[in-house]
Amino acid sequence: METERLILRPLTGDDFADYAAMLADPEVAGGLAESVGGSPADAWRSLATFIGHRQIRGFSHWALIEKSTGRFVGRAGPWQPHGFPGLGVGWCLARPYWGKGYATEAARAAVRHCFTVLGASEIVSVILPGNERSIAVAERIGHRHLRDLTYRGRRVHLYGQQAPPA
């Protein structure tokens, strides 16, 4: 799948070095609602989780590749692991790509995919309190704050939206 500036393709083992570098940044890892850790072993487990999720559910986050350079930007896409509060859309970008609109661009593509391909009636995003960048992305893609809840032992905001009328 492609957007104006990004190629969205399945994550693979070949993404490991870039993926591990992204998660080794404490500001990146610290903003994730699901605590990951910053070691290479932690990054390996996280990457394997997203790849395995695609095998189990048929969908998962995509690798985000910058069209103009071919560089790995991050990951984004649909997500619904066991115990998640609904069909989710998430995003995580390497810090050099923050502030360029890539998260919003990828998240909008994920929202469209969830509603048109996966047939979702509602999608949600779990965001840590204080993660103002992710809250702004959620609001730009049409999400609204639904409620606060505890997810995997952490207090989080649940943002989401209903499918547009047919």
Side-chain angles (χ1 to χ4, degrees), residues 26-125:
E27 281 196 64
V28 172
L32 298 175
E34 294 196 30
S35 182
V36 175
S39 76
D42 294 329
W44 180 263
R45 282 188 289 280
S46 175
L47 180 62
T49 296
F50 283 103
I51 292 170
H53 188 279
R54 182 173 303 284
Q55 291 297 318
I56 294 168
R57 296 264 195 220
F59 59 86
S60 188
H61 280 207
W62 304 287
L64 307 179
I65 308 300
E66 190 176 45
K67 282 183 183 180
S68 64
T69 64
R71 291 190 181 124
F72 179 90
V73 169
R75 63 167 167 78
W79 175 242
Q80 191 175 15
H82 177 76
F84 203 73
L87 175 60
V89 168
W91 49 88
C92 176
L93 273 65
R95 195 165 8 149
Y97 302 99
W98 290 6
K100 297 178 184 278
Y102 287 150
T104 301
E105 189 173 321
R108 282 186 177 134
V111 166
R112 279 191 305 276
H113 183 82
C114 288
F115 288 144
T116 62
V117 176
L118 300 180
S121 59
E122 178 184 55
I123 54 174
V124 297
S125 295

Side-chain angles (χ1 to χ4, degrees), residues 1-3 6-9 62 109-110 113:
M1 196 160 64
E2 293 189 16
T3 64
L6 299 170
I7 296 168
L8 290 67
R9 61 151 175 80
W62 304 287
H113 183 82

Side-chain angles (χ1 to χ4, degrees), residues 85-163:
L87 175 60
V89 168
W91 49 88
C92 176
L93 273 65
R95 195 165 8 149
Y97 302 99
W98 290 6
K100 297 178 184 278
Y102 287 150
T104 301
E105 189 173 321
R108 282 186 177 134
V111 166
R112 279 191 305 276
H113 183 82
C114 288
F115 288 144
T116 62
V117 176
L118 300 180
S121 59
E122 178 184 55
I123 54 174
V124 297
S125 295
V126 171
I127 302 174
L128 287 177
N131 188 340
E132 298 303 323
R133 289 179 174 276
S134 279
I135 290 170
V137 170
E139 291 175 346
R140 280 194 294 272
I141 66 172
H143 280 12
R144 294 294 169 250
H145 182 260
L146 302 176
R147 66 185 178 279
D148 289 349
L149 55 94
T150 300
Y151 176 68
R152 299 186 60 150
R154 300 173 91 177
R155 204 69 188 146
V156 297
H157 298 311
L158 186 68
Y159 276 73
Q161 64 185 298
Q162 299 290 316

